[in-house]
Amino acid sequence: MFSKVLIANRGEIALRVIRACRELGVRSVAIYSDADVQAPHVREADEALHIGPAPSSDSYLRGDRIVEAAKRVGAEAIHPGYGFLSEREWFARLVREEGLVFVGPPPEAIAAMGSKTAARQLAIGAGVPVVPGTTSAVEDAAAAERVADEFGYPVLLKAAAGGGGKGMRVVRDRTELTSSLEAARREAKNAFGDDAVYVEKYIVGPRHVEIQVLGDHHGTILSLGERECSIQRRHQKMIEEAPSVAVSPELRREMGDTAVRAARAAGYVNAGTCEFLLDRDGRFYFLEMNTRLQVEHPVTELVTGIDLVQWQFRVAAGERLPFVQHDIVPRGWAIECRITSEDPENGFLPSTGRVEYLHLPSGSGVRWDGGIETGSEISLHYDPMLAKLIVWAPDRDQAVARMHRALLELTVHGIETSREFHLRVMEDAEFRRGDIEIQWLERRLPTLVGTKPPEEGVRAAAIAAALLAHRDRTGKVASASNGHASTSNGASSDSQRPEGVDAWKEAARREAVRDR
Ligand code: MV4
């Protein structure tokens, strides 16, 4: 095992990787920008190096400086986390050329999966099902029309260099084809500097199901099962779970074998993820492979019992995976909510400011992978994801109930967060049935937001005011109907509370909304 590694990232994922290092007995080295001098990952690591100004392009994306820093402090390996430099072929290559270990796939595997059309061709060659469509870019509208006539409308135009939905256009019928092709080309050119576009049959109402794979340097690649990631907005996932209600043990085996075949074809080593669309008839189609550790990796860890970050380090150091495929069976249910500094009430507008107060959920089956603390300044320099709240329970119903409970325990003051939004999703009947697909969130958003109860601090103050008003009016201290004095934290589900408390809370809410 390495004795010292550098973590080329910040926030919650830097802390996650530091924890793995500590458990492995590896010294950790953090890097930080001007904006992160006081950040928790800097304090928690064994050493920390300043890398540049606040903008990522001058700090967390400066691969040259990061490699130089790693060599200076005597680190043997670099963990890139996710985002930033994690999927840059040139960075993985630079790390290797400088005699260090990149804790991730080889640069050749990153390159093989980087182009969407190349990845499609690689998948087809490996017998991996892809959505019916072209394997190379279309010349012009006439060529696109021939393809669309063959597969039938609707079709989807996609950027060959793409990913993340940029340069994508749904075409409902022949009349829209020419203008949509022009629009897709323009967007692709702007986003990727490449206007190549290809055509696929448009799959209506699928789920996004992905398979976690893990490979070592000795030829073993294993599937760690699926994650259901359909709850997303504008290609940003909000909630993930493992396993998926739509995946039977047989389908799990089939999708797992398929993902392993795709990874093997790319010469894959370390942790990676194959993304699939799963249609309503249970057919699945390979979309792309993410050649990094993903944000949502904890749900897989909780149902498999395998620490993915520790194993990333172990296989990078040359260890063999000690498991076989049939050892890996998901147990129970895990759900993750991404806690972001966005205001769901205002179109998920990014919120900035200081975290004035933070109370974290705890108790059985609750995991908090966070990057903030009281006093943290939330700026616009970096991603709005502040933390992930992850729960495990024996089954899905209990996991949903546990997530709801944990969200109620969470308090963040000073900035807006996605907490309320997550509470509403956990209360939603369709979500509770697992009746979701990739368009679910955008369709249901109007019914999920816009019924915001007063903010915690306001509610607490209003309850106190109501109690004082009651005392002044009656000369008595308010008590619950069962005769025992009770207090409310203003957070738990009303239906589980004694009647008297409901009356206080109702009065408090009236007070709270009166002048708004
Ligand atoms: C699709 C699709 C439907 N049919 N391809 C979106 C980003 C890129 N990774 C591929 N994406 C899609 N490809 C066909 N042929 C629907 C999507 C899609 C999507 C996929 C996964 C997760 C969220 C999504 C949201 C909108 C569209």
Side-chain angles (χ1 to χ4, degrees):
M1 183 41 63
F2 310 112
S3 56
K4 190 191 271 192
V5 304
L6 182 142
I7 300 152
N9 217 303
R10 65 180 303 282
E12 72 86 18
I13 195 60
L15 286 160
R16 167 70 188 90
V17 177
I18 290 167
R19 287 184 170 127
C21 287
R22 200 145 281 153
E23 289 176 13
L24 289 168
V26 174
R27 278 184 71 79
S28 57
V29 183
I31 59 169
Y32 62 97
S33 70
D34 287 349
D36 281 340
V37 174
Q38 310 219 48
H41 78 278
V42 176
R43 217 178 38 247
E44 290 301 322
D46 295 315
E47 296 172 46
L49 297 165
H50 179 253
I51 209 81
S56 310
S57 53
D58 299 324
S59 50
Y60 298 103
L61 289 171
R62 284 297 299 267
D64 53 343
R65 281 198 208 163
I66 292 168
V67 169
E68 192 262 316
K71 288 166 73 175
R72 194 170 65 236
V73 297
E76 302 134 279
I78 298 181
H79 195 301
Y82 51 70
F84 294 131
L85 296 165
S86 59
E87 294 185 280
R88 305 287 172 92
E89 179 197 353
W90 65 265
F91 182 67
R93 203 175 292 281
L94 176 67
V95 171
R96 187 170 69 187
E97 280 167 6
E98 294 297 319
L100 304 173
V101 176
F102 180 74
V103 184
E108 293 78 10
I110 298 177
M113 291 299 185
S115 154
K116 302 307 141 194
T117 41
R120 242 171 101 76
Q121 276 161 16
L122 188 121
I124 292 166
V128 169
V130 297
V131 186
T134 63
T135 45
S136 53
V138 286
E139 278 289 319
D140 50 26
E145 196 170 309
R146 280 195 297 277
V147 177
D149 283 340
E150 185 189 339
F151 299 121
Y153 290 90
V155 294
L156 189 59
L157 305 176
K158 287 188 177 182
K166 285 210 188 81
M168 242 172 59
R169 278 289 184 289
V170 180
V171 186
R172 304 276 165 199
D173 60 60
R174 194 182 289 214
T175 61
E176 296 176 354
L177 194 60
T178 307
S179 63
S180 294
L181 184 63
E182 276 167 23
R185 277 203 200 288
R186 223 177 309 119
E187 210 171 300
K189 183 81 184 169
N190 277 337
F192 313 109
D194 176 358
D195 71 352
V197 167
Y198 67 104
V199 186
E200 281 182 10
K201 171 108 192 111
Y202 181 60
I203 309 293
V204 179
R207 291 167 184 263
H208 176 174
V209 176
E210 59 187 30
I211 300 281
Q212 176 71 55
V213 299
L214 182 62
D216 67 17
H217 280 288
H218 306 274
T220 299
I221 308 181
L222 298 172
S223 161
L224 270 53
E226 81 280 6
R227 292 186 286 260
E228 161 77 65
C229 304
S230 297
I231 308 284
Q232 54 82 42
R233 179 183 162 272
R234 302 192 181 170
H235 306 289
Q236 287 298 118
K237 295 167 187 163
M238 296 296 291
I239 300 171
E240 306 95 347
E241 52 184 297
S244 165
V245 295
V247 177
S248 65
E250 298 74 52
L251 184 56
R252 180 169 304 122
R253 199 173 323 114
E254 221 186 314
M255 291 183 79
D257 289 349
T258 304
V260 167
R261 273 206 306 285
R264 205 175 282 291
Y268 209 84
V269 178
N270 216 280
T273 299
C274 291
E275 289 188 7
F276 295 95
L277 292 177
L278 176 62
D279 75 14
R280 291 167 188 168
D281 303 320
R283 283 176 301 226
F284 61 90
Y285 310 92
F286 173 81
L287 278 184
E288 52 192 84
M289 184 169 190
N290 299 317
T291 55
R292 60 165 192 277
L293 179 74
Q294 289 193 248
V295 172
E296 59 271 29
H297 75 275
V299 293
T300 299
E301 296 188 319
L302 292 183
V303 296
T304 62
I306 293 172
D307 188 310
L308 273 162
V309 181
Q310 282 197 24
W311 279 106
Q312 283 195 290
F313 280 119
R314 290 180 184 278
V315 299
E319 274 190 44
R320 276 173 194 280
L321 289 172
F323 328 106
V324 291
Q325 189 60 62
H326 121 127
D327 293 338
I328 299 165
V329 181
R331 194 179 139 266
W333 215 279
I335 304 177
E336 171 178 284
C337 288
R338 297 187 183 195
I339 308 300
T340 65
S341 52
E342 295 173 312
D343 184 3
E345 297 289 310
N346 287 301
F348 287 83
L349 192 75
S351 170
T352 59
R354 196 178 106 102
V355 177
E356 300 290 354
Y357 178 79
L358 181 65
H359 176 84
L360 299 185
S362 53
S364 189
V366 175
R367 169 172 167 181
W368 175 264
D369 276 21
I372 56 162
E373 56 193 5
T374 300
S376 290
E377 286 288 344
I378 309 306
S379 69
L380 293 173
H381 288 295
Y382 310 112
D383 192 273
M385 198 184 76
L386 306 173
K388 292 142 20 181
L389 177 57
I390 314 117
V391 301
W392 182 92
D395 61 40
R396 191 171 185 275
D397 284 348
Q398 292 180 73
V400 172
R402 180 162 281 174
M403 178 59 84
H404 191 264
R405 183 272 289 175
L407 286 163
L408 287 173
E409 289 181 18
L410 172 65
T411 308
V412 186
H413 287 169
I415 49 168
E416 297 298 329
T417 75
S418 54
R419 173 184 171 272
E420 290 286 340
F421 158 79
H422 288 300
L423 279 166
R424 299 293 88 80
V425 176
M426 294 305 132
E427 291 160 5
D428 185 82
E430 277 177 5
F431 177 79
R432 282 168 169 261
R433 286 198 305 270
D435 190 3
I436 52 176
E437 39 80 29
I438 60 174
Q439 257 102 45
W440 186 84
L441 185 49
E442 245 127 344
R443 182 163 46 80
R444 292 297 315 281
L445 213 45
T447 49
L448 291 168
V449 301
T451 49
K452 193 180 183 179
E455 187 239 315
E456 298 288 305
V458 175
R459 289 164 71 180
I463 290 167
L467 290 171
L468 286 170
H470 181 83
R471 188 194 61 185
D472 290 349
R473 268 196 312 275
T474 64
K476 285 189 293 192
V477 175
S479 66
S481 57
N482 62 7
H484 297 288
S486 290
T487 55
S488 167
N489 63 10
S492 296
S493 163
D494 288 358
S495 61
Q496 291 162 11
R497 292 264 155 196
E499 220 177 296
V501 177
D502 283 350
W504 298 351
K505 289 177 76 177
E506 222 180 280
R509 288 208 176 103
R510 266 198 299 276
E511 293 279 322
V513 297
R514 203 179 49 194
D515 296 322
R516 294 175 125 218

